[in-house]
Amino acid sequence: MDGLADFRYPHSTRAELLRRLGPTDKARGEYRRARDLTDDGAEPRFSGAG
């Protein structure tokens, strides 16, 4: 995922797959990374980060 490390969508997709498979702490980290890469004001507010 090196070339996509600065984009939020691969992280959010990976987070969802991890959540479904069970490693929720890894999923949580991916969700946080996706949220942190979001530059749109509405998305961080929706996720509770803003």
Side-chain angles (χ1 to χ4, degrees), residues 29-44:
E30 289 292 330
Y31 279 125
R32 283 189 196 109
R33 180 68 178 137
R35 181 193 63 203
D36 292 344
L37 290 169
T38 301
D39 58 4
D40 178 354
E43 286 181 282

Side-chain angles (χ1 to χ4, degrees), residues 7-29:
F7 295 97
R8 66 182 180 254
Y9 298 117
H11 291 285
S12 60
T13 301
R14 179 175 160 83
E16 181 60 20
L17 292 172
L18 287 168
R19 184 191 65 80
R20 291 177 187 204
L21 292 172
T24 55
D25 43 328
K26 289 183 181 182
R28 216 173 283 121

